[in-house]
Amino acid sequence: KILISLISFMLFFGCASKQDYNITKIDISTYKSIIIDANDLLIDDQSENSIEYPFIDHLVLYNMKFYLNEWIKTRIVPNYKSHNQIKLTIKKANIKAFYLDNNNTIEDIFVNKAAKRVEIDVYVTIEIIDSNDKNLAYIELKAFKSKELAENISLNENDHVIQNMINETLMDFDKLAVAKIKEIFSNYLII
């Protein structure tokens, strides 16, 4: 009787919640443009474009590459008044999910163990280059987030958590980028 009561209790109270997990998108169009004294903006995307394990970018609605492209269009604006070029290289902009090894025992039924670790890794370089390909200014921007997710969360909650991680990573990246651009590129900014 105790075993039946325990199983009934787990089935009744162990069901997934019916909470609504909305996916929210950051409105980057509200960000203020940074006008740089340059004639052109070159974008070189060298980031991994794989759909194989552990990459999950292709499974995420608003992934880091989507946000970075929107960010570049909004934030980095040449004034077309000099011969300099802005070269932006996306070295990393990926989301990975690593499944953790769980050698579950009977006791683990009552414990919420992590089933996977999600990592978001962003690495971007921005250079200002003159007409002779001489590097005038250079910055590196990196942002990273990692979180372990339990095995008993719903797919909707999983997507919600990952999207929130992406949104937070973009906000961290933006704060860092704006500060470094104002500091390192100060001689090339149009205010």
Side-chain angles (χ1 to χ4, degrees):
K1 286 184 176 186
I2 294 174
L3 183 59
I4 293 172
S5 297
L6 183 60
I7 291 173
S8 299
F9 180 79
M10 285 177 30
L11 289 174
F12 184 71
F13 290 106
C15 296
S17 81
K18 301 292 183 205
Q19 185 174 350
D20 188 22
Y21 294 103
N22 292 328
I23 302 295
T24 57
K25 180 183 173 219
I26 296 175
D27 184 11
I28 296 176
S29 67
T30 62
Y31 287 21
K32 185 178 177 187
S33 297
I34 300 171
I35 301 171
I36 300 175
D37 190 21
N39 186 37
D40 198 9
L41 171 63
L42 304 171
I43 301 170
D44 181 14
D45 186 355
Q46 298 176 357
S47 63
E48 191 73 38
N49 199 18
S50 178
I51 60 170
E52 294 183 16
Y53 178 83
F55 297 96
I56 61 168
D57 303 275
H58 59 286
L59 302 174
V60 179
L61 183 59
Y62 303 115
N63 62 30
M64 280 312 303
K65 287 186 186 185
F66 169 83
Y67 272 137
L68 275 179
N69 286 319
E70 294 290 310
W71 184 86
I72 292 166
K73 284 188 252 180
T74 303
R75 279 286 200 200
I76 309 296
V77 178
N79 69 350
Y80 304 106
K81 293 183 179 177
S82 78
H83 294 289
N84 299 335
Q85 290 185 329
I86 306 164
K87 182 179 180 189
L88 191 141
T89 306
I90 302 171
K91 296 189 181 265
K92 292 181 185 176
N94 300 109
I95 309 161
K96 298 177 185 175
F98 299 96
Y99 294 97
L100 304 176
D101 184 25
N102 284 335
N103 294 328
N104 292 333
T105 62
I106 193 72
E107 293 86 16
D108 292 334
I109 293 173
F110 303 102
V111 179
N112 265 346
K113 292 179 68 174
K116 68 180 170 183
R117 184 179 66 248
V118 176
E119 293 180 355
I120 301 173
D121 197 6
V122 180
Y123 177 26
V124 173
T125 62
I126 306 175
E127 303 171 77
I128 297 179
I129 303 169
D130 69 10
S131 58
N132 296 322
D133 287 335
K134 181 182 173 193
N135 190 322
L136 302 174
Y138 175 87
I139 59 174
E140 290 184 342
L141 305 166
K142 295 180 180 181
F144 180 83
K145 283 237 185 282
S146 177
K147 188 170 193 168
E148 291 185 353
L149 303 179
E151 61 188 347
N152 65 342
I153 66 172
S154 69
L155 292 175
N156 287 340
E157 185 178 1
N158 179 71
D159 292 347
H160 178 76
V161 169
I162 292 172
Q163 194 64 56
N164 282 344
M165 286 177 65
I166 293 168
N167 294 353
E168 291 168 6
T169 305
L170 179 75
M171 288 187 276
D172 291 347
F173 175 83
D174 182 63
K175 285 179 193 171
L176 175 68
V178 169
K180 280 202 166 191
I181 288 170
K182 286 181 178 178
E183 176 189 349
I184 307 295
F185 292 172
S186 60
N187 294 338
Y188 305 98
L189 297 182
I190 307 301
I191 298 174

